Amino acid sequence: MGATRAQRIALPWAVIGFWIVVLAVAGVFAGKLDGVKHDDAVDYLPASAQSTQVAKIQQTMPGGGATDLVLVYDRAAGITGPDRAAVQRQTASLAAAYELVGGTPRVVAARDGRTLMVPVAIAEKEGKPEDVVADVRDLLAKDLPDGLTVRVGGPGGMLADAKTVFRSIDGALLIGTVGVVAFLLIVTYRSPFLWLVPLVAVGVAAGTAMALVYALVQAFGLTVSSMGSSVMTVLIFGAGTDYALLLIARYRDELRHRAEPYAAMRAALRRVGPAVLTSAATVVAGLLCLLAADLNSSRGLGPTGAIGIVCALAAMTTLLPAVLVLLGRRVFWPLIPAHGSAPKAAGHGFYGRIGALVVRRPVAVLTVSALAVGALALGMTNLPGDLRQDEAFTVTSESATAAQTLHRAFPERSAQAVLVLAPSKRAGAVLARVRATDGVAAAATGRTAGGWSEIEAFPSAAPDTAAERGTIERLRTGAAADHALVGGFSAQQLDTAATSSRDRLIVVPLVLVAVFLLLAALLRSLVAPLLLVAAMVAVWAASLGIGGLLFGPVLGFHGMDPGLPLLSFVFLVALGVDYGIFLMHRMREEAAHGADAGRSAVRALEATGGVIASAGIVLAATFTVLASLPLVMMVEMGTTIALGVLLDTFVVRTFLIPAASTLLAERVWWPGTLSRRAPRPPEPTAADLQLVR
C-alpha cells in the first residue's frame, strides 16, 4: 500500500528536522576540533619503534623532551671577528633565556670559512616547539652584523615550519574543495539550483563528522592529526558527492516513470541503495584496516576517515532525498524530467556506442587496456627514494634553507645528534661503546633521570645518507647488549621507512580480503569481485607508475614519503571500487532481467557511464586540491590518487571490466544462480543492433 499524501510530506520534513537538530548540536563542537589536533613527532612515528620509545622517555625527563635546533650563521665573504663575537653573545643570550639540554652550545666552524653552526637543544617545558622556534628566530634577528645571516633549522625548526603550514591549510583546503565540487556540479547538472542541494548535504555531513571526531577525542583519547583531518574533509566531499550523483541520476530516471517525487525517490533508493551502502562499507572497511598499521600517522587516518564516510552516507541517503522530494521536479529546471517522457534512445548515447564497441571486440579491447595499464605500472621502477628532511615543503622554509646550507658547508659530518638512552648504571660503558662505534665523530652525556642517561652521538656522515643510516644501525647493534635505545630525528626517519614497508605487508592483504567479501555479498558471486579487486590492484600499480614518471622528471621531487604506497593503495582500492560496484551492480540487474553478458555490459555502461564519469572527475578533483598544498607529502598523495581515479574511471571501468565480463559471459556470476541461468533474448534495442553489424 502506498504512502498517504500526509506521510509523503511529513516524513521528509521529519528527516530535515532531525538534521537541523544534529547540525545545531554539531555546530557547537565542530569548531573545537582544531584545538585538539596533535602534530607532534610522536603522532607520526611508528608506535613500537625504538625512536618512538626514546621520544616518550625524553618527555618524562627534567624539562621534558627537547626542541633540537641548529643555528646556521653564514656570510658569503667569510666569517669575521665581529661575526664570531655576535654568535657568542647570541649563544649566551639563549643559555640565559632558556633551559638548555646538554650544556653550553658548541660553535662549529666550516672548512670553507663562511659558515658557523650551533646545535642547541631547548627543554620542551619552555613551551610548544613552534612557539619556542618563533621566539628564538625573533631573538637572533636582533644585534646581527650587516651581511651575516642566521637561520634556525634542525628537527625542531622543521617541525615548527610543518606545524605553521598545517595551521594554514585547513581553511584553504575547505574553500578549494567546496569551489571545485560546486563548479563540477554546476557543469554536470546545468541547473542554477540543483547543485546547491548535494553541496549543502555534504557540508552538513562534514560539520557532523568534525563534531563526532571531537567527541571521540574527548571521550576515548583518539589522536587526530592535521593530515588526518585534511584527508577526512576530502573524503567526505569526494565520496559524498559521488553518492549524490548516483542517487540523483537514478531519481531523475524514476521521475519519468512515476508521477509522485516521493514514489520516484523510494524506487531510486531501492535500486541504488545496496550499491551505495556496499560502496561506503568498502571504504570504511579499508580505512579501518589501517588500525593494524604500526605507523601512527597511518593508523590515525582509519577512524577519522571512517567517521567521515559514515556521515557522508547518512546525509546522502536521508537528508538529500528528503530535500529533493520536497523541492519536487522543479529543482531540475531547466531540464525537468516530465512524467511519461522517454530518456535518450538506447544505443544512441556515447557510452552505448562504447559498449557496442567493447562487446564487438572484447579480446582486442581487453588486450589494449590491460597493456596500457601494465605499461604505466612499469613507471614504479622510477619512483624516487625516501623523502629527505629538507625536501618536505614545496615552498621555501627557513629550516629547509638552513639544512641546504649545512649540506654545502659540512658535507663530511652531521649537525644532528643521534640520541642514545642508556640505563644509568651502564651509562659509562655505553658512552665508551658509542665513542668507539665506527662513524661516530663525537659523543657526550646529557641529562640523567628516571633511571636513564641521555647520550648525544654526532655521526661523521651527513643526514639522510646511507653512511648515517649505517652508523645508526651499528649504534643499535652495540647498544642492544646494554639494553640501551637509539633515537633522534634521523633514527625516526629510518624507523618510519622500515615500518611503512612492514605495514604494507599486513594492511594490504586485510584490505583486499575485506573488500572482496563485501563485493561477494553484494554481487552474490566470487568471480566478479575477484575481477574488480584485481583491476583495482592494477590501477594502484599504474598510478604509482605515473608518479614515478612525474615526481622527479616533472615536479622536481627527489624523494617520496614512505607512507604513500600504503595510503594510496587503501584509498584507491576502497574508493575506486565504488565505480566497479555501480557498474557491476547494474550489470547484475540487467542479467537478472534476462539479458546476456554482452547486452548487460552495454546497458550497464549506458546507464552508469555518465554518472561514473562525473563521479570520477569530482573525486579526482577533490584529491587534486590536496596537491595544491605546500607539502610534498600532500602533493604526492593528491596527484597519485587523482590520476588513479581518472585511470580507473575512463579506462578500467569503461573498457577493461566490460570486456572481461563479456568474455567471461555468465561465468562472471559464478557460483550464483545467474551463472546457471540461460539468458532470455530480450527485445532488441539500437545498441543491440550495433552488436551484429
Side-chain angles (χ1 to χ4, degrees):
M1 180 181 294
T4 66
R5 178 175 177 79
Q7 290 173 327
R8 293 196 297 268
I9 295 175
L11 182 58
W13 276 115
V15 171
I16 292 174
F18 168 78
W19 278 104
I20 290 175
V21 173
V22 169
L23 189 59
V25 175
V28 176
F29 301 103
K32 297 182 178 181
L33 181 59
D34 282 341
V36 296
K37 291 178 185 175
H38 293 273
D39 290 306
D40 296 326
V42 174
D43 300 315
Y44 290 86
L45 293 177
S48 62
Q50 270 196 49
S51 57
T52 308
Q53 296 177 53
V54 169
K56 290 180 176 179
I57 293 172
Q58 278 189 300
Q59 291 174 346
T60 67
M61 301 181 81
T67 301
D68 294 311
L69 306 177
V70 179
L71 316 183
V72 182
Y73 295 87
D74 189 75
R75 181 187 289 275
I79 296 294
T80 65
D83 292 342
R84 294 179 182 275
V87 172
Q88 293 293 345
R89 287 197 305 273
Q90 292 196 337
T91 302
S93 297
L94 284 177
Y98 298 101
E99 179 181 330
L100 303 184
V101 177
T104 304
R106 299 171 294 106
V107 180
V108 183
R111 292 179 180 177
D112 62 8
R114 58 172 287 186
T115 305
L116 300 174
M117 72 169 177
V118 184
V120 177
I122 299 176
E124 203 170 71
K125 74 173 185 179
E126 297 287 354
K128 295 181 179 179
E130 60 268 32
D131 296 333
V132 169
V133 171
D135 291 341
V136 168
R137 285 171 174 167
D138 289 341
L139 177 64
L140 298 183
K142 303 171 185 176
D143 189 28
L144 203 64
D146 292 339
L148 179 65
T149 63
V150 59
R151 294 181 176 88
V152 178
M158 291 179 184
L159 180 61
D161 289 341
K163 287 190 174 185
T164 300
V165 170
F166 274 127
R167 280 201 300 264
S168 67
I169 66 177
D170 280 347
L173 179 67
L174 183 60
I175 293 171
T177 304
V178 170
V180 166
V181 171
F183 172 76
L184 292 173
L185 287 175
I186 292 172
V187 171
T188 300
Y189 292 130
R190 291 169 287 173
S191 166
F193 309 112
L194 181 57
W195 66 275
L196 276 169
V197 181
L199 191 61
V200 169
V202 171
V204 171
T208 304
M210 291 178 191
L212 283 175
V213 171
Y214 174 78
L216 289 179
V217 171
Q218 297 297 90
F220 301 105
L222 176 70
T223 299
V224 181
S225 67
S226 293
M227 184 179 76
S229 175
S230 299
V231 171
M232 182 183 74
T233 299
V234 171
L235 282 174
I236 293 171
F237 276 85
T241 306
D242 279 4
Y243 303 152
L245 287 168
L246 184 67
L247 176 62
I248 292 174
R250 194 60 184 251
Y251 175 54
R252 188 199 295 265
D253 289 342
E254 296 296 339
L255 282 173
R256 294 189 173 97
H257 303 296
R258 291 169 171 79
E260 290 288 338
Y262 183 90
M265 182 57 73
R266 286 191 62 181
L269 284 171
R270 280 199 306 269
R271 295 294 179 89
V272 304
V276 171
L277 182 61
T278 305
S279 170
T282 58
V283 182
V284 170
L287 289 168
L288 292 181
C289 287
L290 285 173
L291 290 171
D294 190 48
L295 195 64
N296 287 334
S297 57
S298 296
R299 188 171 62 245
L301 284 176
T304 55
I307 289 170
I309 293 297
V310 170
C311 290
L313 174 68
M316 293 306 149
T317 54
T318 57
L319 178 60
L320 176 65
V323 175
L324 289 174
V325 166
L326 290 178
L327 292 176
R329 298 174 188 271
R330 60 185 178 274
V331 74
F332 290 96
W333 186 87
L335 305 175
I336 300 176
H339 178 222
S341 64
K344 186 181 293 185
H348 291 294
F350 176 72
Y351 282 96
R353 292 192 293 272
I354 288 180
L357 169 66
V358 170
V359 175
R360 279 203 310 272
R361 300 283 189 272
V363 175
V365 170
L366 179 61
T367 301
V368 171
S369 54
L371 286 175
V373 173
L376 289 173
L378 294 176
M380 292 177 67
T381 59
N382 197 46
L383 284 170
D386 291 338
L387 194 65
R388 270 180 28 177
Q389 302 164 17
D390 59 339
E391 296 174 341
F393 306 100
T394 61
V395 294
T396 301
S397 68
E398 183 171 334
S399 58
T401 303
Q404 291 163 5
T405 302
L406 290 174
H407 281 303
R408 172 190 56 76
F410 299 92
E412 77 289 350
R413 65 167 296 167
S414 174
Q416 196 164 278
V418 174
L419 298 176
V420 180
L421 286 183
S424 298
K425 294 180 179 179
R426 301 289 302 161
V430 173
L431 177 61
R433 194 189 299 273
V434 167
R435 286 173 171 167
T437 300
D438 183 30
V440 174
T445 302
R447 296 174 293 179
T448 296
W452 295 95
S453 291
E454 188 179 71
I455 297 171
E456 288 186 328
F458 288 89
S460 58
D464 298 311
T465 60
E468 186 201 39
R469 290 191 289 272
T471 300
I472 293 172
E473 294 291 356
R474 287 190 291 273
L475 282 170
R476 283 181 167 168
T477 300
D482 295 300
H483 304 289
L485 303 172
V486 177
F489 196 67
S490 293
Q492 292 169 2
Q493 301 290 99
L494 182 64
D495 289 339
T496 297
T499 302
S500 295
S501 299
R502 171 263 179 199
D503 285 348
R504 285 198 297 273
L505 296 177
I506 294 176
V507 176
V508 167
L510 287 176
V511 173
L512 292 176
V513 170
V515 170
F516 178 84
L517 292 176
L518 288 166
L519 289 175
L522 173 72
L523 300 174
R524 303 171 205 172
S525 163
L526 297 179
V527 176
L530 187 62
L531 174 62
L532 291 177
V533 169
M536 281 316 307
V537 172
V539 167
W540 169 68
S543 66
L544 283 180
I546 298 174
L549 301 175
L550 289 179
F551 292 163
V554 177
L555 300 178
F557 298 156
H558 303 297
M560 183 182 74
D561 187 87
L564 176 64
L566 176 61
L567 295 181
S568 62
F569 176 85
V570 171
F571 290 133
L572 280 174
V573 171
L575 288 170
V577 82
D578 286 3
Y579 308 138
I581 290 173
F582 301 159
L583 176 68
M584 295 296 285
H585 187 257
R586 188 57 180 257
M587 286 177 61
R588 192 182 190 285
E589 186 178 326
E590 296 294 339
H593 285 85
D596 62 17
R599 292 185 178 90
S600 296
V602 172
R603 293 176 179 175
L605 265 178
E606 199 169 28
T608 66
V611 70
I612 287 178
S614 299
I617 291 172
V618 168
L619 186 61
T622 55
F623 272 97
T624 301
V625 176
L626 283 180
S628 68
L629 301 178
L631 289 169
V632 171
M633 169 184 62
M634 291 295 195
V635 174
E636 291 176 340
M637 183 187 299
T639 301
T640 300
I641 296 175
L643 292 174
V645 168
L646 292 176
L647 179 66
D648 177 47
T649 301
F650 294 105
V651 177
V652 174
R653 303 302 158 205
T654 305
F655 295 100
L656 194 151
I657 294 295
S661 300
T662 300
L663 290 173
L664 288 168
E666 280 62 43
R667 292 186 296 274
V668 76
W669 308 117
W670 183 88
T673 55
L674 290 179
S675 65
R676 302 186 295 274
R677 180 188 302 175
R680 301 189 303 273
E683 292 295 323
T685 66
D688 298 332
L689 295 176
Q690 292 187 41
L691 301 181
V692 297
R693 291 179 184 173

